[in-house]
Amino acid sequence: MSDPFYAAFLSGESTTMMTRVYLDKSAFLKWTPRSGNVDFFLTAAITMVLLDMNDAIAKPATEWLDDITLAGQIEGGINANVSRPANGINFGQFFGDRANQAQLDQLTLTAARAVDTTASSYDVGFMVRGLYGAEGRYFNIAGITDRLMTSRYQFIVPQAHLDVHLPWLTRHGLDMQAGILASPMGVESLDPSLRPFYTLSYTTEYSTPFEHVGAMFQWHLTDYIDALFGVDTGNQVSFGGGDNNHTAAGYFGLTASSLANGKLSLTYLGRVGPENSTRSLGQRANSAQRYWNDLSGSYKISDRLTFTGELNFLHDEGLHANTYSFVSYLSYQLTPTLLLNYRGEIYRDDTGLFVTSFIANNAYMQATLGKPTVTQSAPPTTYGALTLGATWRPVLGHSVKLFEIRPEVRFDRSLNGTRPFNDLRNVGQFTFGADAVLGF
């Protein structure tokens, strides 16, 4: 998922509730480096960069400190379900997963210094963000914050990284981020101000990663094309007891921007590496690859209307499972403060091992590590989902940087006759959600 945009995945048997379920969130090459090498790689890369920079950074210390920004943001919402499922869960939804219950989704505090990615000299920045709220349950990282809280509201550190701009190789150079990173894959983001809807698509939740410990690079090849690559310990895992297998994973891809007279942008990202837990697959988990492929693009049809599309395919060797999907978005700027949004999705889970609701508060991270937990899942299903919504964003001024209210109506349906929704009773599910976001 990117914060660019991210999700975790189920490994083991398709189950209903109170069964052993193992979640482990993989184009096409074999790669099995030891995860311990990621630690060495990060240390070596950062040391090499800092030594090479010496005193080449253009800005003096006082000016550098003046560029540090502090920001906060709070989001709360509710997602109503007229069918009132007995387990209280809106099946297949991470944000707004608790039916008919208002909740604090996230309270974030961020300290950051952005780097100048166009500079001809070295530049160093950073970002540290803390988050508390219901959405922390799904963006936790094993071995870092997963044991701090087991309640509905949890504290996480979704981003804590060093950022460096390196004037190497090409005119626009190379950018590096190292530390705790948000996944760059996908269209939708953990940050509510960067996505059009309160809820997430199936593709974001189940077929893109969320968080990493590692390093990511963006090499500016030309004015319009960048190469993307990186290495990390895996999806939402870290080192030692915080890892679910002993092998690293990595990204590769290209992004093209300002095409078609500035109207079109395209991004392809691939990812490969084992993501399943040794607790569920044994030692085979260290070599069974997961292949992720995500192609997204955005086209500005007019000054008011924008189309975005996302095509995704995932294959997991350990689970012998595939998902494939297409998501389309339309955004129409009706007035300077009112945006109308559409999202349509077709998502195929051909084994029933991916689309899962996590009933217990710590179920998501327990499953990531291959530990028994309480979940609900469905048979192999082709899901269709239609979401319509609006974003009202008045300008309040003063110290309020952002205020927005986003109502939405969403209809999910099984397209092959299974009954995954509302306690496995219904073919379809209506939800009516809304959230409010305040940034300062």
Side-chain angles (χ1 to χ4, degrees), residues 44-157:
I46 294 172
T47 302
M48 179 184 70
V49 167
L50 294 178
L51 287 175
D52 188 59
M53 288 166 60
N54 287 327
D55 54 359
I57 298 176
K59 292 193 174 183
T62 53
E63 188 176 345
W64 189 92
L65 292 172
D66 288 341
D67 290 338
I68 294 176
T69 61
L70 300 174
Q73 188 166 273
I74 185 170
E75 177 198 16
I78 186 170
N79 204 16
N81 184 334
V82 295
S83 297
R84 298 182 178 274
N87 63 9
I89 299 297
N90 293 319
F91 180 80
Q93 297 186 20
F94 287 179
F95 296 174
D97 58 345
R98 301 299 173 91
N100 309 309
Q101 296 183 35
Q103 65 182 24
L104 171 65
D105 292 287
Q106 55 176 269
L107 169 64
T108 62
L109 295 175
T110 305
R113 185 197 180 275
V115 298
D116 183 355
T117 60
T118 64
S120 58
S121 59
Y122 292 95
D123 199 10
V124 177
F126 71 93
M127 175 182 281
V128 178
R129 174 173 292 166
L131 181 152
Y132 174 77
E135 293 174 1
R137 293 170 294 152
Y138 293 107
F139 281 74
N140 229 316
I141 299 179
I144 297 180
T145 52
D146 63 313
R147 296 184 180 181
L148 291 179
M149 299 178 179
T150 57
S151 60
R152 180 179 177 186
Y153 295 161
Q154 298 183 14
F155 175 80
I156 64 171
V157 181

Side-chain angles (χ1 to χ4, degrees), residues 211-398:
E211 296 284 333
H212 303 300
V213 177
M216 195 72 195
F217 297 85
Q218 184 170 3
W219 182 14
H220 305 290
L221 301 176
T222 72
D223 290 344
Y224 307 106
I225 299 176
D226 295 346
L228 306 172
F229 54 95
V231 62
D232 56 72
T233 57
N235 179 43
Q236 294 180 261
V237 295
S238 56
F239 301 100
D243 204 354
N244 57 1
N245 58 56
H246 305 299
T247 311
Y251 284 100
F252 52 91
L254 290 171
T255 181
S257 59
S258 300
L259 304 177
N261 296 318
K263 295 181 178 181
L264 176 66
S265 62
L266 297 169
T267 299
Y268 167 76
L269 264 178
R271 175 175 172 82
V272 59
E275 298 286 357
N276 298 299
S277 172
T278 54
R279 288 186 177 92
S280 57
L281 296 187
Q283 292 305 308
R284 189 165 62 94
N286 294 318
S287 59
Q289 306 293 309
R290 179 169 293 171
Y291 302 96
W292 325 58
N293 297 272
D294 190 270
L295 175 65
S296 62
S298 180
Y299 184 75
K300 195 170 182 61
I301 299 171
S302 69
D303 290 341
R304 294 191 174 192
L305 183 63
T306 301
F307 169 81
T308 301
E310 181 178 15
L311 184 65
N312 185 285
F313 172 71
L314 181 151
H315 171 70
D316 191 293
E317 290 182 337
L319 304 180
H320 305 290
N322 302 296
T323 70
Y324 36 94
S325 61
F326 178 73
V327 197
S328 59
Y329 303 80
L330 284 171
S331 292
Y332 183 76
Q333 191 77 52
L334 185 63
T335 73
T337 61
L338 184 62
L339 187 67
L340 304 180
N341 296 309
Y342 150 90
R343 179 178 64 202
E345 180 177 24
I346 302 293
Y347 183 92
R348 173 63 181 173
D349 177 5
D350 72 357
T351 58
L353 296 178
F354 283 83
V355 179
T356 301
S357 283
F358 300 91
I359 311 300
N361 289 322
N362 64 344
Y364 186 90
M365 293 310 298
Q366 288 288 100
T368 299
L369 294 172
K371 297 179 179 180
T373 190
V374 185
T375 69
Q376 185 179 73
S377 54
T381 298
T382 302
Y383 297 88
L386 173 66
T387 311
L388 300 175
T391 301
W392 180 54
R393 187 178 290 176
V395 178
L396 301 184
H398 303 292

Side-chain angles (χ1 to χ4, degrees), residues 201-217:
S201 67
Y202 290 97
T203 301
T204 297
E205 292 177 336
Y206 301 107
S207 293
T208 66
F210 284 169
E211 296 284 333
H212 303 300
V213 177
M216 195 72 195
F217 297 85

